[in-house]
């Protein structure tokens, strides 16, 4: 494994000893490096491994794929180590004679650094470093752990189950939304002979392992263990940060491929150097982002000291608690709560001086110097920069960017609804509705169960709509549920319901009732959770789940796995990542039930671990369950073991720009229909004696053999949103 480079201690040796130290360092590097053998380019090994995979040459595929991973790791290690060694061997700290021009002295060191890197990498890799330059696509494959996807199949074919499972798990950790791998992981878990310890991450980051363990201990009030793990996480995280920064000095990325203008010497140097600085700044996001996630943990390094000062205080270690508080104030010097804490610690410690950690003080100083240069380039050279840190002092940000910076912070603040709000401040929008269970009775927050939202007759009419639509070609016909092979799934949008009514396939009144019932639910949820703030529909879906034929009482799977509606649930990390592909703009969810003549199918809420059930709700006609869509409300559905369970699934957003477009079209279609009926009614009264319109009367579906014009069918399909319905069917999940 490659050695991690560390900066030298602050006490420098006499200049006469520098050559000896450099010689010693070179010898150590030579002895510790894998230079005894040639390191083959990882992209070539990867290509050969994939070719062997598709040729079903499993032994060769497994060998080459393992070698390409080893080569990639070796290359990264060599780059980190050589950057560290050459930083001191050919650094810029040495003085220059006063009579010597600064330019020649500067570039002399540049050339020496380049020579050092070329020689070091050539020795470590056993050949020309240029042979190891891979395409952006190949680099992305390795960053996303794609070789492990091939490797797990090769190992499985070779009957090496332990290696197959660990390879699959390693890939799945970084790609949790990969549906095929999700299925493979379930199969591995059911296989005989597979051990729990086989599910290990071969690329696990030490700081993340320690961090998640530390957070678990912290939440369990085990502060002694929390301190140990959080300190380990901090140490490993800072090492990972330095490793990341060392890899930033790579080739210049061609960000403006269309730009044909040739840059001059200093413009090109400035552009490349600013790219390196932005890469180094971004490293803090890289180490703060868990594999498989897009969003980083906010304030990853500063938050360690906030947690540590509290944990040290609880263990009675006032000196270290004070040190951590002082260190946190390096990032946020005006934080009132920590300043007050620091006063308390000083009173406890008396005359003992309190100082921030030296390595963090240097870290903050270095980061601010880099930001200052980047912001200079932003202001004067047309560069762009997304600052990864929320602690950057405002005075460092150019005036031209301050307004946008404030807007971004305000948007971030508005993204999350106020979760502290408890029960309604205003009466419900309709009379006769009863609150059956509130948040307290449901053992959570922002949850409610309401009854008598629909009458028995209204439930039957919407169920009739579901049954009538079930035989149409509208994407509603029953198909196997994406969550379980033991159930059939059907879904209908409000727009499709009205289009089917326009074709006389379903009853107009039933389709209109679906629209009205969902709007009534929206007003109830709005009046309960967000009085004074309008909720907009994000998606509306009439959903039925039907148990397959046969005995199903012993089923162990779920009709709908545990999830949250606007974030990616991470049970192992006890968190929920609000990032795509989750529907991050959703704020509240609701389910309006239509029947109870089935077995199973209860809704349940869990803790963040997706295992501990906190509440359960039995569906019945007219019952509305509503809750906030975030990680505070993980939920799932027990298996439907007999019969058919139907409900209207509803999602709402506080942001009008994310309002459901299909619903707006459905409402416009309904207004047109009502206007036509009004006009028809007026004409009937004018002429007298006309037969009443049968638009609201049940009519049989159009026979399959009935002729229709091609243009009519084409227009119906193009306007109906059938394609959109199929694509958005996953909204229900």
């Amino acid at each position: 494994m490659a050695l991690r480079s560390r900066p030298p201690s602050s006490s420098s040796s006499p200049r006469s000893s520098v050559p000896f130290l450099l010689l010693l360092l070179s010898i150590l590097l030579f002895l510790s490096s894998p230079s005894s053998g040639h390191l083959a380019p990882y992209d070539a090994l990867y290509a050969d491994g994939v070719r062997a995979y598709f040729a079903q040459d499993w032994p060769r595929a497994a060998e080459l794929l393992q070698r390409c991973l080893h080569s990639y790791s070796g290359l990264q290690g060599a780059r980190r180590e050589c950057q560290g060694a050459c930083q001191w061997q050919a650094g810029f700290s040495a003085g220059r004679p006063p009579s010597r021009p600064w330019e020649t002295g500067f570039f002399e060191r540049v050339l020496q650094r380049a020579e050092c890197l070329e020689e070091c990498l050539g020795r470590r890799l056993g050949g020309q470093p240029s042979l190891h330059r891979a395409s952006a696509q190949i680099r992305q494959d390795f960053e996303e752990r794609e070789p492990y996807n091939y490797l797990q199949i090769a190992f499985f074919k070779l009957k090496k189950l332990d290696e197959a499972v660990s390879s699959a798990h390693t890939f799945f950790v970084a790609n949790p939304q990969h549906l095929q791998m999700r299925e493979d992981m379930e199969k591995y878990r059911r296989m005989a002979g597979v051990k729990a310890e086989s599910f290990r991450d071969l690329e696990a980051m030490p700081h993340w392992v320690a961090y998640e363990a530390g957070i678990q201990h912290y939440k369990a009030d085990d502060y002694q263990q929390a301190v140990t793990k959080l300190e380990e996480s901090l140490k490993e995280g800072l090492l990972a940060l330095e490793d990341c920064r060392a890899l930033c000095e790579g080739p210049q990325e061609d960000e403006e491929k269309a730009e044909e203008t040739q840059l001059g010497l200093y413009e090109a140097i400035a552009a490349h150097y600013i790219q390196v600085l932005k890469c180094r700044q971004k490293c803090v996001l890289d180490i703060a982002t868990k594999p498989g996630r897009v969003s980083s943990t906010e304030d990853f390094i500063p938050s360690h000291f906030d947690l540590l000062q509290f944990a040290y205080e609880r263990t009675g270690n006032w000196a270290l608690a004070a040190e951590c508080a002082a260190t946190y104030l390096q990032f946020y010097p005006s934080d009132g709560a920590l300043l007050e804490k620091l006063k308390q610690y000083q009173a406890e410690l008396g005359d003992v001086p309190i100082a921030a950690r030296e390595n963090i003080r240097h870290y903050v100083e270095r980061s601010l110097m880099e930001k200052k240069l980047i912001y200079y380039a932003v202001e004067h050279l047309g560069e762009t920069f997304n600052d990864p840190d929320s602690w950057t002092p405002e005075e460092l940000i150019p005036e031209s960017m301050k307004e946008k910076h404030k807007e971004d912070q305000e948007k971030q603040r508005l993204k999350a609804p106020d979760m502290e709000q408890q029960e309604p401040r205003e009466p419900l929008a309709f009379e006769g509705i009863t609150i059956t269970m509130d948040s307290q009775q449901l053992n959570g927050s922002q949850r409610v169960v309401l009854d008598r939202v629909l009458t028995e007759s209204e439930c039957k009419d919407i169920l009739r709509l579901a049954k009538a639509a079930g035989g149409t070609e509208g994407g509603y016909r029953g198909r196997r549920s994406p969550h379980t092979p033991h159930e059939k799934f059907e879904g209908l949008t409000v727009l499709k319901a009205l289009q089917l009514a326009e074709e006389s396939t379903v009853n107009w009144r039933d389709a209109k009732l679906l629209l009205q019932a969902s709007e009534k639910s929206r007003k109830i949820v709005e009046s309960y959770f967000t009085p004074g703030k309008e909720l907009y529909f994000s998606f509306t879906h009439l959903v039925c789940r039907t148990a397959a034929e046969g005995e199903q009482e012993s089923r162990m799977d779920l009709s709908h796995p545990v999830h949250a509606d606007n974030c990616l649930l991470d049970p192992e990390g006890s968190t929920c990542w609000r990032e795509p592909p989750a529907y991050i703009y959703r704020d509240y969810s609701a389910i309006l039930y239509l029947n109870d003549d089935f077995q199973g199918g209860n809704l349940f809420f869990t803790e963040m671990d997706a295992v501990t059930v906190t509440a359960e709700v039995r569906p019945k006609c007219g019952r509305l369950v509503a809750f906030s869509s975030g990680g505070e409300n993980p939920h799932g559905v027990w298996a439907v073991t007999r019969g058919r369970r139907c409900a209207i699934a509803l999602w709402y957003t506080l942001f009008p720009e994310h309002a459901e477009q299909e619903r707006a079209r459905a409402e416009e279609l309904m207004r047109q229909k009502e206007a036509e009926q009004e006009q028809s009614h007026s004409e009937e009264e004018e002429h007298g004696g006309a037969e009443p319109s049968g638009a609201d009367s049940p009519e049989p579906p159009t026979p399959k053999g009935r002729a229709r014009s091609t243009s009519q069918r084409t227009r119906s399909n193009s306007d109906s949103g059938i394609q959109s319905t199929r694509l958005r069917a996953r909204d229900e999940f």
Side-chain angles (χ1 to χ4, degrees), residues 46-257:
Y46 181 44
D48 290 343
V50 172
R51 275 192 287 270
Y53 172 91
F54 284 110
Q56 298 186 13
D57 185 350
W58 308 120
R60 181 164 171 75
E63 178 203 346
L64 288 168
L65 290 166
Q66 287 180 95
R67 284 180 60 197
C68 80
L69 288 165
H70 174 74
S71 175
Y72 179 74
S73 176
L75 175 63
Q76 302 293 81
R79 283 176 174 165
R80 284 193 296 264
E81 203 165 294
C82 289
Q83 291 287 357
C86 294
Q87 181 177 356
W88 313 117
Q89 185 175 334
F92 293 88
S93 58
R96 61 177 177 82
S99 60
R100 190 177 181 184
W102 72 267
E103 188 176 308
T104 54
F106 171 79
F107 281 107
E108 181 182 20
R109 305 304 285 176
V110 170
L111 295 173
Q112 288 173 357
R113 176 79 69 90
E115 179 193 17
C116 176
L117 289 170
E118 189 77 8
E119 188 276 330
C120 179
L121 285 171
R123 184 180 67 252
R124 286 292 309 272
L125 302 176
Q128 284 293 324
S130 58
L131 295 174
H132 295 265
R133 291 174 186 161
S135 68
Q137 182 58 57
I138 296 295
R139 293 199 304 271
Q140 184 180 349
D141 275 5
F142 277 77
E143 287 166 8
E144 295 176 356
R145 306 185 181 183
E146 190 65 34
Y148 286 102
N149 195 4
Y150 294 105
L151 193 55
Q152 62 107 5
I153 297 293
F155 277 135
F156 180 76
K157 295 290 186 180
L158 293 169
K159 302 189 186 306
K160 295 183 177 181
L161 208 52
D162 181 66
E163 291 92 335
V165 173
S166 58
S167 297
H169 183 74
T170 302
F171 175 80
F172 187 61
V173 165
N175 301 272
Q177 301 306 312
H178 195 284
L179 297 179
Q180 182 58 55
M181 187 57 77
R182 185 182 291 274
E183 288 186 15
D184 289 348
M185 293 298 290
E186 289 300 321
K187 290 174 184 174
Y188 282 131
R189 286 191 178 93
R190 293 194 295 266
M191 282 183 189
V194 174
K195 301 173 183 177
E197 52 267 28
S198 297
F199 293 90
R200 59 187 182 277
D201 182 3
L202 301 174
E203 299 279 349
M205 297 181 176
H207 69 282
W208 266 108
V209 175
Y211 178 75
E212 292 188 332
I215 294 297
Q216 292 288 352
H217 290 306
Y218 187 91
K219 288 180 177 178
D221 297 339
D222 184 359
Y223 295 111
Q224 193 61 57
Q225 285 297 318
V227 159
T228 302
K229 287 299 179 182
L230 287 172
E231 288 285 15
E232 181 186 343
S233 166
L234 186 62
K235 177 186 173 184
E236 293 291 343
L238 290 171
L239 285 172
L241 182 73
E242 295 306 312
D243 285 350
C244 175
R245 288 171 60 87
L247 295 175
C248 284
E249 296 179 19
Q252 185 172 9
E253 296 175 5
D254 189 8
E255 294 179 353
E256 300 290 341
K257 291 184 180 179

Side-chain angles (χ1 to χ4, degrees), residues 387-651:
D387 197 326
D389 297 309
S390 58
W391 54 266
T392 302
E394 192 172 336
E395 58 267 22
L396 205 64
I397 301 169
E399 287 295 330
S400 59
M401 295 184 65
K402 282 183 179 177
E403 193 61 36
K404 184 178 182 302
H405 182 69
K406 288 179 181 176
E407 287 176 7
D408 291 343
Q409 286 185 325
E410 183 65 15
K411 282 182 182 177
Q412 195 67 28
R413 187 184 67 80
L414 290 173
K415 263 187 181 181
D418 183 10
M419 289 303 161
E420 297 301 317
Q421 182 181 312
Q422 295 300 316
E423 302 307 325
R425 293 172 289 181
E426 295 180 8
L428 295 175
F430 299 90
E431 292 183 1
I433 295 170
T434 59
I435 298 175
T436 306
M437 287 189 281
D438 60 15
S439 295
Q440 186 175 359
Q441 292 164 305
L442 288 166
N443 302 314
S445 63
Q446 299 277 291
R447 303 174 182 175
V448 68
V449 176
L450 306 108
D451 281 324
R452 300 173 65 184
V453 175
L454 294 179
T455 65
E456 289 287 344
S457 174
E458 288 170 331
C459 287
K460 287 178 181 177
D461 289 347
I462 299 176
L463 287 169
R464 178 174 62 196
L465 169 69
K467 185 176 181 181
T472 67
E473 296 182 1
Y476 186 76
R477 291 178 298 172
R479 59 191 185 279
R480 197 181 83 166
S481 167
H483 301 301
T484 172
H486 304 292
E487 295 176 19
K488 182 176 70 173
F489 174 84
E490 300 163 307
L492 183 69
T493 65
V494 286
L495 177 61
K496 187 60 194 175
L498 290 173
Q499 288 170 337
L500 291 173
E502 195 175 32
E503 297 171 3
S504 300
T505 303
V506 301
N507 191 327
W508 255 109
R509 187 172 61 83
D510 294 346
K512 181 179 179 180
L513 180 58
L514 174 62
L515 201 68
Q516 292 171 331
S518 55
E519 172 61 17
K520 183 178 182 180
S521 301
R522 186 195 68 80
K523 288 181 177 177
I524 293 168
V525 175
E526 181 182 89
S527 66
Y528 189 88
F529 285 122
T530 64
K533 292 182 183 178
E534 185 173 359
L535 282 181
Y536 302 88
F537 283 99
S538 168
F539 194 54
T540 310
H541 211 196
L542 172 56
V543 176
C544 292
R545 307 164 188 272
T546 307
E549 295 294 329
E551 183 61 39
Q552 297 202 43
E553 303 299 333
S554 59
R555 273 177 60 187
M556 298 296 290
D557 62 334
L558 297 174
S559 179
H560 196 144
V562 177
H563 65 286
D565 287 339
N566 71 7
C567 53
L568 305 174
L569 192 62
D570 180 4
E572 291 182 5
S574 291
T575 189
C576 204
W577 301 87
R578 198 161 183 176
E579 62 185 39
Y583 297 92
I584 57 177
Y585 46 82
R586 290 179 176 168
D587 296 296
Y588 289 92
S589 309
I591 307 151
L592 179 57
Y593 294 109
L594 302 174
N595 66 321
D596 62 0
D597 53 340
F598 54 87
Q599 288 184 7
N602 286 4
L603 175 77
F604 62 93
F605 293 97
T606 74
E607 297 283 7
M608 196 77 83
D609 61 8
V611 175
T612 308
V613 176
T614 57
E616 192 165 329
V617 180
R618 176 63 189 169
K620 73 172 190 176
C621 166
R623 172 164 286 178
L624 179 71
V625 182
F627 46 91
S628 55
S629 303
E632 65 281 354
N633 282 318
H635 57 283
V637 178
W638 296 118
V640 178
T641 56
R642 185 176 299 173
R644 189 173 190 237
R645 174 193 188 270
C646 293
I648 305 173
L650 304 147
W651 292 271

